Amino acid sequence: MERKDKRNHQFTNRQLFFRYLAPTSSAPVALEMKKAEGIYITDIDDKKYIDGISGFSVNNIGHSHPHVVKAVQQQVADYMHLIVYGEYIQSPQVAYAAMLTSYLPDHLNCVYFTNSGTEATEGAMKLAKRVTHRYKIIAFNNAYHGSTQGALSIMGDEYWRNAYRPLLPGIIHADYNNYSVLNDIDTQTACIIMEVVQAEAGIIPADKEWLQAIRNKCTETGTLLVFDEIQSGFGRTGSLWAFEQYHIVPDILLLGKALGGGMPLGAFIASNEMMQSLADLPVLGHITTFGGHPVSCTAGKAALEVLLADTYISDIKNKEQILMDRIHHPAIKAIRHCGLWMSLEFESYEINQAIVHECVKNGLITDWFIFAPTYLRIAPPLIITEEQLHQLCDIVLKSIDTVFSL
């Protein structure tokens, strides 16, 4: 087919961005970046920004870590894509799966790699239905598990779901940290899918007694408990997995974002016995072309090695305290936090947006939350130093002052 427009070289990247890329919002930030290293991102004008959201909890060890870059380069030199996942024995997949399960409870011993956290959600929903022979699924209001049709069906907000109905039947949405959900868990329930810390609701940790009651009711009824740690995993909350702080173990674990060390990767993890149900009747019960891509698995394993080789996770408590000590302002209505993860509530979405944009002007990338648009997000890479964290706090407070002085 003849090329329609041979003059694209006359346009800037910004013009091409708006001309050819599908939009995700009506007003993208549209910063044009050229380099990322450590906690910083640099734009085409050589302005440096602190990545205050870690690429939405993807870059927990920062950008372009030398250990990750070297591992990726070596793997690319050996091979990239070979064949549909699961057919060839590929050392990056095997090594990463073995490493992950060594840091998980014994029965979480079998990994299914996907392309993203959303696809991990989809795979877990199928696995739960296959294992239990039930179709009822319980999820929570203000929960985000992805944007595909199945994940959208369990998304906890009608505003986001309504435009794409009809969605999956048999979905019940309950209120987070509310004991009434126990009445919904019965012998017809395939699974209950939940975040240990609700991310897009503006960082809301589960109540420990409530979560234990859910675990008990799931065990009693044969319902599978699925924990979504796509954002909270890999040290964000002060432990490798948030569920470790609750001494409660899920039947299925969802991972994504930081799992790939900056490369696209997701996973759902369960027992080997449960996973066997996807291999027969029908064969290829769940399949993916690029899930577990060898380069992504290599990057993820290298990133996890970096995270565990230093004191990044054990240092989070002190860094969390810095945020708590420094972030105070009369305009902040409420503060939520869990590890190196904080949300600041302002009076309105408009005020929050103004502060977000002012932070960007002052060299800090931040954002809002899908189900908490009046809250500002703070989630820098875990490698951020205490000095850099103070700089981040300075920018946030300066930006709030500027907005309220206008």
mmCIF file of all heavy atoms in Angstrom, residues 254-301:
data_model
loop_
_atom_site.group_PDB
_atom_site.id
_atom_site.type_symbol
_atom_site.label_atom_id
_atom_site.label_comp_id
_atom_site.label_asym_id
_atom_site.label_seq_id
_atom_site.Cartn_x
_atom_site.Cartn_y
_atom_site.Cartn_z
ATOM 1 N N LEU A 254 -1.586 -11.690 42.184
ATOM 2 C CA LEU A 254 -1.428 -10.953 40.935
ATOM 3 C C LEU A 254 -0.258 -9.989 41.061
ATOM 4 O O LEU A 254 -0.172 -9.225 42.027
ATOM 5 C CB LEU A 254 -2.691 -10.153 40.602
ATOM 6 C CG LEU A 254 -4.017 -10.897 40.598
ATOM 7 C CD1 LEU A 254 -5.142 -9.950 40.152
ATOM 8 C CD2 LEU A 254 -3.960 -12.111 39.699
ATOM 9 N N LEU A 255 0.639 -10.014 40.070
ATOM 10 C CA LEU A 255 1.777 -9.099 40.031
ATOM 11 C C LEU A 255 1.849 -8.419 38.677
ATOM 12 O O LEU A 255 1.355 -8.932 37.672
ATOM 13 C CB LEU A 255 3.087 -9.855 40.303
ATOM 14 C CG LEU A 255 3.235 -10.549 41.663
ATOM 15 C CD1 LEU A 255 4.562 -11.288 41.725
ATOM 16 C CD2 LEU A 255 3.104 -9.561 42.800
ATOM 17 N N GLY A 256 2.485 -7.272 38.653
ATOM 18 C CA GLY A 256 2.682 -6.521 37.415
ATOM 19 C C GLY A 256 3.567 -5.330 37.720
ATOM 20 O O GLY A 256 4.318 -5.328 38.697
ATOM 21 N N LYS A 257 3.499 -4.303 36.893
ATOM 22 C CA LYS A 257 4.247 -3.057 37.069
ATOM 23 C C LYS A 257 5.719 -3.295 37.380
ATOM 24 O O LYS A 257 6.488 -3.583 36.489
ATOM 25 C CB LYS A 257 3.547 -2.182 38.104
ATOM 26 C CG LYS A 257 2.143 -1.754 37.647
ATOM 27 C CD LYS A 257 1.601 -0.610 38.407
ATOM 28 C CE LYS A 257 0.194 -0.229 37.915
ATOM 29 N NZ LYS A 257 0.188 0.357 36.568
ATOM 30 N N ALA A 258 6.160 -3.233 38.647
ATOM 31 C CA ALA A 258 7.585 -3.391 38.964
ATOM 32 C C ALA A 258 8.106 -4.789 38.674
ATOM 33 O O ALA A 258 9.315 -5.006 38.640
ATOM 34 C CB ALA A 258 7.828 -3.049 40.435
ATOM 35 N N LEU A 259 7.202 -5.735 38.424
ATOM 36 C CA LEU A 259 7.600 -7.113 38.113
ATOM 37 C C LEU A 259 8.574 -7.176 36.941
ATOM 38 O O LEU A 259 9.480 -8.015 36.920
ATOM 39 C CB LEU A 259 6.352 -7.944 37.786
ATOM 40 C CG LEU A 259 6.569 -9.387 37.329
ATOM 41 C CD1 LEU A 259 7.068 -10.247 38.487
ATOM 42 C CD2 LEU A 259 5.281 -9.974 36.751
ATOM 43 N N GLY A 260 8.405 -6.284 35.954
ATOM 44 C CA GLY A 260 9.229 -6.335 34.755
ATOM 45 C C GLY A 260 10.449 -5.441 34.777
ATOM 46 O O GLY A 260 11.170 -5.364 33.774
ATOM 47 N N GLY A 261 10.701 -4.761 35.880
ATOM 48 C CA GLY A 261 11.896 -3.923 35.968
ATOM 49 C C GLY A 261 11.961 -2.844 34.901
ATOM 50 O O GLY A 261 13.044 -2.435 34.490
ATOM 51 N N GLY A 262 10.810 -2.384 34.433
ATOM 52 C CA GLY A 262 10.751 -1.369 33.376
ATOM 53 C C GLY A 262 10.300 -1.935 32.042
ATOM 54 O O GLY A 262 10.029 -1.191 31.105
ATOM 55 N N MET A 263 10.216 -3.254 31.949
ATOM 56 C CA MET A 263 9.719 -3.916 30.746
ATOM 57 C C MET A 263 8.298 -4.420 31.013
ATOM 58 O O MET A 263 7.921 -4.639 32.157
ATOM 59 C CB MET A 263 10.631 -5.092 30.370
ATOM 60 C CG MET A 263 12.039 -4.699 29.976
ATOM 61 S SD MET A 263 12.125 -3.836 28.389
ATOM 62 C CE MET A 263 11.767 -5.197 27.266
ATOM 63 N N PRO A 264 7.499 -4.627 29.956
ATOM 64 C CA PRO A 264 6.124 -5.096 30.163
ATOM 65 C C PRO A 264 6.081 -6.535 30.635
ATOM 66 O O PRO A 264 6.605 -7.441 29.977
ATOM 67 C CB PRO A 264 5.494 -4.944 28.768
ATOM 68 C CG PRO A 264 6.637 -4.966 27.809
ATOM 69 C CD PRO A 264 7.776 -4.327 28.533
ATOM 70 N N LEU A 265 5.437 -6.756 31.801
ATOM 71 C CA LEU A 265 5.355 -8.090 32.365
ATOM 72 C C LEU A 265 4.312 -8.112 33.475
ATOM 73 O O LEU A 265 4.215 -7.176 34.266
ATOM 74 C CB LEU A 265 6.711 -8.523 32.946
ATOM 75 C CG LEU A 265 6.873 -9.992 33.323
ATOM 76 C CD1 LEU A 265 6.756 -10.895 32.101
ATOM 77 C CD2 LEU A 265 8.216 -10.225 34.022
ATOM 78 N N GLY A 266 3.530 -9.166 33.505
ATOM 79 C CA GLY A 266 2.591 -9.412 34.587
ATOM 80 C C GLY A 266 2.656 -10.877 34.948
ATOM 81 O O GLY A 266 3.333 -11.675 34.289
ATOM 82 N N ALA A 267 1.960 -11.270 36.005
ATOM 83 C CA ALA A 267 1.946 -12.677 36.387
ATOM 84 C C ALA A 267 0.793 -12.954 37.335
ATOM 85 O O ALA A 267 0.409 -12.092 38.130
ATOM 86 C CB ALA A 267 3.254 -13.082 37.058
ATOM 87 N N PHE A 268 0.213 -14.157 37.221
ATOM 88 C CA PHE A 268 -0.627 -14.653 38.302
ATOM 89 C C PHE A 268 0.026 -15.925 38.809
ATOM 90 O O PHE A 268 0.542 -16.739 38.040
ATOM 91 C CB PHE A 268 -2.094 -14.846 37.887
ATOM 92 C CG PHE A 268 -2.361 -15.777 36.739
ATOM 93 C CD1 PHE A 268 -2.833 -17.066 36.946
ATOM 94 C CD2 PHE A 268 -2.189 -15.351 35.423
ATOM 95 C CE1 PHE A 268 -3.123 -17.915 35.884
ATOM 96 C CE2 PHE A 268 -2.475 -16.188 34.345
ATOM 97 C CZ PHE A 268 -2.941 -17.476 34.579
ATOM 98 N N ILE A 269 0.048 -16.055 40.128
ATOM 99 C CA ILE A 269 0.809 -17.115 40.786
ATOM 100 C C ILE A 269 -0.121 -17.893 41.707
ATOM 101 O O ILE A 269 -0.878 -17.302 42.484
ATOM 102 C CB ILE A 269 1.987 -16.527 41.588
ATOM 103 C CG1 ILE A 269 2.882 -15.670 40.669
ATOM 104 C CG2 ILE A 269 2.803 -17.637 42.252
ATOM 105 C CD1 ILE A 269 4.022 -14.967 41.394
ATOM 106 N N ALA A 270 -0.079 -19.200 41.605
ATOM 107 C CA ALA A 270 -0.916 -20.078 42.426
ATOM 108 C C ALA A 270 -0.155 -21.370 42.674
ATOM 109 O O ALA A 270 1.052 -21.453 42.432
ATOM 110 C CB ALA A 270 -2.251 -20.331 41.737
ATOM 111 N N SER A 271 -0.857 -22.387 43.131
ATOM 112 C CA SER A 271 -0.206 -23.676 43.333
ATOM 113 C C SER A 271 -0.076 -24.406 41.994
ATOM 114 O O SER A 271 -0.873 -24.193 41.071
ATOM 115 C CB SER A 271 -1.019 -24.542 44.294
ATOM 116 O OG SER A 271 -2.248 -24.924 43.704
ATOM 117 N N ASN A 272 0.914 -25.267 41.910
ATOM 118 C CA ASN A 272 1.097 -26.055 40.695
ATOM 119 C C ASN A 272 -0.135 -26.903 40.412
ATOM 120 O O ASN A 272 -0.552 -27.063 39.256
ATOM 121 C CB ASN A 272 2.334 -26.939 40.839
ATOM 122 C CG ASN A 272 2.715 -27.622 39.552
ATOM 123 O OD1 ASN A 272 2.096 -28.602 39.154
ATOM 124 N ND2 ASN A 272 3.738 -27.096 38.892
ATOM 125 N N GLU A 273 -0.745 -27.426 41.466
ATOM 126 C CA GLU A 273 -1.942 -28.243 41.306
ATOM 127 C C GLU A 273 -3.068 -27.454 40.645
ATOM 128 O O GLU A 273 -3.740 -27.949 39.729
ATOM 129 C CB GLU A 273 -2.400 -28.766 42.665
ATOM 130 C CG GLU A 273 -3.648 -29.627 42.615
ATOM 131 C CD GLU A 273 -4.103 -30.067 43.995
ATOM 132 O OE1 GLU A 273 -3.532 -29.585 45.000
ATOM 133 O OE2 GLU A 273 -5.048 -30.880 44.074
ATOM 134 N N MET A 274 -3.285 -26.235 41.083
ATOM 135 C CA MET A 274 -4.327 -25.409 40.492
ATOM 136 C C MET A 274 -4.004 -25.067 39.045
ATOM 137 O O MET A 274 -4.867 -25.127 38.162
ATOM 138 C CB MET A 274 -4.520 -24.126 41.313
ATOM 139 C CG MET A 274 -5.209 -24.335 42.638
ATOM 140 S SD MET A 274 -5.263 -22.821 43.646
ATOM 141 C CE MET A 274 -6.060 -21.686 42.529
ATOM 142 N N MET A 275 -2.763 -24.729 38.782
ATOM 143 C CA MET A 275 -2.376 -24.317 37.432
ATOM 144 C C MET A 275 -2.520 -25.454 36.419
ATOM 145 O O MET A 275 -2.751 -25.202 35.232
ATOM 146 C CB MET A 275 -0.937 -23.814 37.435
ATOM 147 C CG MET A 275 -0.750 -22.454 38.092
ATOM 148 S SD MET A 275 -1.536 -21.112 37.170
ATOM 149 C CE MET A 275 -0.669 -19.709 37.886
ATOM 150 N N GLN A 276 -2.418 -26.690 36.871
ATOM 151 C CA GLN A 276 -2.553 -27.819 35.952
ATOM 152 C C GLN A 276 -3.923 -27.843 35.275
ATOM 153 O O GLN A 276 -4.076 -28.406 34.187
ATOM 154 C CB GLN A 276 -2.315 -29.133 36.697
ATOM 155 C CG GLN A 276 -0.886 -29.355 37.167
ATOM 156 C CD GLN A 276 0.122 -29.346 36.029
ATOM 157 O OE1 GLN A 276 -0.123 -29.904 34.957
ATOM 158 N NE2 GLN A 276 1.253 -28.695 36.258
ATOM 159 N N SER A 277 -4.910 -27.218 35.908
ATOM 160 C CA SER A 277 -6.260 -27.229 35.336
ATOM 161 C C SER A 277 -6.340 -26.448 34.034
ATOM 162 O O SER A 277 -7.285 -26.616 33.258
ATOM 163 C CB SER A 277 -7.265 -26.661 36.341
ATOM 164 O OG SER A 277 -7.023 -25.284 36.579
ATOM 165 N N LEU A 278 -5.362 -25.590 33.775
ATOM 166 C CA LEU A 278 -5.362 -24.796 32.539
ATOM 167 C C LEU A 278 -4.745 -25.563 31.363
ATOM 168 O O LEU A 278 -4.756 -25.064 30.235
ATOM 169 C CB LEU A 278 -4.601 -23.483 32.743
ATOM 170 C CG LEU A 278 -5.178 -22.513 33.774
ATOM 171 C CD1 LEU A 278 -4.274 -21.292 33.913
ATOM 172 C CD2 LEU A 278 -6.590 -22.074 33.365
ATOM 173 N N ALA A 279 -4.200 -26.742 31.620
ATOM 174 C CA ALA A 279 -3.480 -27.471 30.579
ATOM 175 C C ALA A 279 -4.317 -28.534 29.869
ATOM 176 O O ALA A 279 -3.874 -29.109 28.882
ATOM 177 C CB ALA A 279 -2.239 -28.138 31.185
ATOM 178 N N ASP A 280 -5.536 -28.763 30.356
ATOM 179 C CA ASP A 280 -6.323 -29.863 29.793
ATOM 180 C C ASP A 280 -7.812 -29.543 29.873
ATOM 181 O O ASP A 280 -8.276 -28.881 30.793
ATOM 182 C CB ASP A 280 -6.021 -31.153 30.561
ATOM 183 C CG ASP A 280 -6.579 -32.391 29.865
ATOM 184 O OD1 ASP A 280 -6.707 -32.361 28.632
ATOM 185 O OD2 ASP A 280 -6.889 -33.360 30.566
ATOM 186 N N LEU A 281 -8.544 -29.998 28.881
ATOM 187 C CA LEU A 281 -10.015 -29.852 28.834
ATOM 188 C C LEU A 281 -10.490 -28.417 29.081
ATOM 189 O O LEU A 281 -11.259 -28.173 30.014
ATOM 190 C CB LEU A 281 -10.676 -30.814 29.835
ATOM 191 C CG LEU A 281 -10.456 -32.305 29.583
ATOM 192 C CD1 LEU A 281 -11.058 -33.128 30.703
ATOM 193 C CD2 LEU A 281 -11.036 -32.722 28.238
ATOM 194 N N PRO A 282 -10.115 -27.470 28.253
ATOM 195 C CA PRO A 282 -9.401 -27.649 26.991
ATOM 196 C C PRO A 282 -7.895 -27.486 27.155
ATOM 197 O O PRO A 282 -7.424 -26.824 28.077
ATOM 198 C CB PRO A 282 -9.956 -26.500 26.142
ATOM 199 C CG PRO A 282 -10.151 -25.395 27.139
ATOM 200 C CD PRO A 282 -10.633 -26.078 28.389
ATOM 201 N N VAL A 283 -7.170 -28.081 26.223
ATOM 202 C CA VAL A 283 -5.750 -27.801 26.128
ATOM 203 C C VAL A 283 -5.595 -26.320 25.778
ATOM 204 O O VAL A 283 -6.480 -25.716 25.175
ATOM 205 C CB VAL A 283 -5.094 -28.696 25.051
ATOM 206 C CG1 VAL A 283 -5.597 -28.349 23.657
ATOM 207 C CG2 VAL A 283 -3.576 -28.591 25.126
ATOM 208 N N LEU A 284 -4.503 -25.718 26.172
ATOM 209 C CA LEU A 284 -4.293 -24.278 25.977
ATOM 210 C C LEU A 284 -5.407 -23.484 26.654
ATOM 211 O O LEU A 284 -5.950 -22.528 26.105
ATOM 212 C CB LEU A 284 -4.224 -23.916 24.488
ATOM 213 C CG LEU A 284 -3.217 -24.689 23.631
ATOM 214 C CD1 LEU A 284 -3.273 -24.233 22.184
ATOM 215 C CD2 LEU A 284 -1.812 -24.536 24.182
ATOM 216 N N GLY A 285 -5.726 -23.870 27.897
ATOM 217 C CA GLY A 285 -6.798 -23.197 28.620
ATOM 218 C C GLY A 285 -6.530 -21.728 28.847
ATOM 219 O O GLY A 285 -7.464 -20.944 29.019
ATOM 220 N N HIS A 286 -5.278 -21.351 28.844
ATOM 221 C CA HIS A 286 -4.916 -19.931 28.856
ATOM 222 C C HIS A 286 -3.621 -19.816 28.069
ATOM 223 O O HIS A 286 -2.698 -20.604 28.266
ATOM 224 C CB HIS A 286 -4.727 -19.414 30.285
ATOM 225 C CG HIS A 286 -4.702 -17.913 30.362
ATOM 226 N ND1 HIS A 286 -5.797 -17.142 30.065
ATOM 227 C CD2 HIS A 286 -3.710 -17.043 30.687
ATOM 228 C CE1 HIS A 286 -5.496 -15.861 30.216
ATOM 229 N NE2 HIS A 286 -4.236 -15.774 30.593
ATOM 230 N N ILE A 287 -3.554 -18.874 27.173
ATOM 231 C CA ILE A 287 -2.398 -18.792 26.274
ATOM 232 C C ILE A 287 -2.059 -17.340 25.998
ATOM 233 O O ILE A 287 -2.926 -16.467 26.046
ATOM 234 C CB ILE A 287 -2.681 -19.564 24.953
ATOM 235 C CG1 ILE A 287 -1.389 -19.866 24.207
ATOM 236 C CG2 ILE A 287 -3.687 -18.830 24.091
ATOM 237 C CD1 ILE A 287 -0.499 -20.859 24.916
ATOM 238 N N THR A 288 -0.803 -17.080 25.713
ATOM 239 C CA THR A 288 -0.340 -15.727 25.425
ATOM 240 C C THR A 288 0.861 -15.811 24.494
ATOM 241 O O THR A 288 1.695 -16.706 24.623
ATOM 242 C CB THR A 288 0.043 -14.974 26.711
ATOM 243 O OG1 THR A 288 0.672 -13.732 26.367
ATOM 244 C CG2 THR A 288 0.993 -15.773 27.576
ATOM 245 N N THR A 289 0.936 -14.890 23.553
ATOM 246 C CA THR A 289 2.064 -14.884 22.615
ATOM 247 C C THR A 289 3.320 -14.303 23.247
ATOM 248 O O THR A 289 4.401 -14.873 23.136
ATOM 249 C CB THR A 289 1.709 -14.074 21.360
ATOM 250 O OG1 THR A 289 0.602 -14.692 20.702
ATOM 251 C CG2 THR A 289 2.888 -14.007 20.401
ATOM 252 N N PHE A 290 3.185 -13.165 23.912
ATOM 253 C CA PHE A 290 4.369 -12.465 24.409
ATOM 254 C C PHE A 290 4.527 -12.523 25.926
ATOM 255 O O PHE A 290 5.505 -12.010 26.466
ATOM 256 C CB PHE A 290 4.345 -11.000 23.966
ATOM 257 C CG PHE A 290 4.509 -10.824 22.483
ATOM 258 C CD1 PHE A 290 3.441 -10.423 21.704
ATOM 259 C CD2 PHE A 290 5.730 -11.073 21.872
ATOM 260 C CE1 PHE A 290 3.579 -10.263 20.327
ATOM 261 C CE2 PHE A 290 5.888 -10.913 20.505
ATOM 262 C CZ PHE A 290 4.807 -10.512 19.726
ATOM 263 N N GLY A 291 3.557 -13.107 26.649
ATOM 264 C CA GLY A 291 3.693 -13.211 28.096
ATOM 265 C C GLY A 291 4.950 -13.987 28.471
ATOM 266 O O GLY A 291 5.246 -15.026 27.888
ATOM 267 N N GLY A 292 5.691 -13.482 29.447
ATOM 268 C CA GLY A 292 6.942 -14.139 29.815
ATOM 269 C C GLY A 292 8.028 -13.933 28.793
ATOM 270 O O GLY A 292 8.942 -14.762 28.654
ATOM 271 N N HIS A 293 7.957 -12.818 28.075
ATOM 272 C CA HIS A 293 8.985 -12.524 27.072
ATOM 273 C C HIS A 293 10.365 -12.598 27.730
ATOM 274 O O HIS A 293 10.572 -12.073 28.826
ATOM 275 C CB HIS A 293 8.753 -11.131 26.482
ATOM 276 C CG HIS A 293 9.553 -10.869 25.255
ATOM 277 N ND1 HIS A 293 10.885 -10.545 25.296
ATOM 278 C CD2 HIS A 293 9.206 -10.878 23.941
ATOM 279 C CE1 HIS A 293 11.339 -10.360 24.060
ATOM 280 N NE2 HIS A 293 10.336 -10.562 23.227
ATOM 281 N N PRO A 294 11.319 -13.259 27.082
ATOM 282 C CA PRO A 294 12.621 -13.471 27.720
ATOM 283 C C PRO A 294 13.339 -12.184 28.130
ATOM 284 O O PRO A 294 14.021 -12.163 29.155
ATOM 285 C CB PRO A 294 13.420 -14.245 26.665
ATOM 286 C CG PRO A 294 12.661 -14.104 25.385
ATOM 287 C CD PRO A 294 11.237 -13.928 25.770
ATOM 288 N N VAL A 295 13.180 -11.117 27.346
ATOM 289 C CA VAL A 295 13.830 -9.855 27.712
ATOM 290 C C VAL A 295 13.146 -9.249 28.937
ATOM 291 O O VAL A 295 13.804 -8.733 29.844
ATOM 292 C CB VAL A 295 13.827 -8.871 26.528
ATOM 293 C CG1 VAL A 295 14.522 -7.568 26.929
ATOM 294 C CG2 VAL A 295 14.531 -9.484 25.317
ATOM 295 N N SER A 296 11.821 -9.335 28.988
ATOM 296 C CA SER A 296 11.090 -8.808 30.139
ATOM 297 C C SER A 296 11.435 -9.591 31.403
ATOM 298 O O SER A 296 11.621 -9.001 32.480
ATOM 299 C CB SER A 296 9.586 -8.869 29.889
ATOM 300 O OG SER A 296 9.199 -7.999 28.845
ATOM 301 N N CYS A 297 11.493 -10.912 31.292
ATOM 302 C CA CYS A 297 11.835 -11.730 32.454
ATOM 303 C C CYS A 297 13.258 -11.460 32.926
ATOM 304 O O CYS A 297 13.541 -11.425 34.129
ATOM 305 C CB CYS A 297 11.664 -13.207 32.128
ATOM 306 S SG CYS A 297 9.946 -13.740 32.020
ATOM 307 N N THR A 298 14.152 -11.261 31.985
ATOM 308 C CA THR A 298 15.536 -10.927 32.329
ATOM 309 C C THR A 298 15.606 -9.610 33.082
ATOM 310 O O THR A 298 16.282 -9.491 34.112
ATOM 311 C CB THR A 298 16.400 -10.852 31.060
ATOM 312 O OG1 THR A 298 16.448 -12.145 30.442
ATOM 313 C CG2 THR A 298 17.814 -10.396 31.376
ATOM 314 N N ALA A 299 14.894 -8.606 32.575
ATOM 315 C CA ALA A 299 14.886 -7.295 33.225
ATOM 316 C C ALA A 299 14.274 -7.386 34.612
ATOM 317 O O ALA A 299 14.787 -6.793 35.579
ATOM 318 C CB ALA A 299 14.107 -6.292 32.367
ATOM 319 N N GLY A 300 13.162 -8.113 34.721
ATOM 320 C CA GLY A 300 12.498 -8.222 36.006
ATOM 321 C C GLY A 300 13.364 -8.912 37.053
ATOM 322 O O GLY A 300 13.443 -8.468 38.209
ATOM 323 N N LYS A 301 13.998 -10.000 36.670
ATOM 324 C CA LYS A 301 14.871 -10.724 37.603
ATOM 325 C C LYS A 301 16.039 -9.843 38.043
ATOM 326 O O LYS A 301 16.395 -9.800 39.230
ATOM 327 C CB LYS A 301 15.386 -11.999 36.956
ATOM 328 C CG LYS A 301 16.324 -12.819 37.847
ATOM 329 C CD LYS A 301 16.697 -14.131 37.170
ATOM 330 C CE LYS A 301 17.663 -14.949 38.039
ATOM 331 N NZ LYS A 301 19.002 -14.319 38.087
#
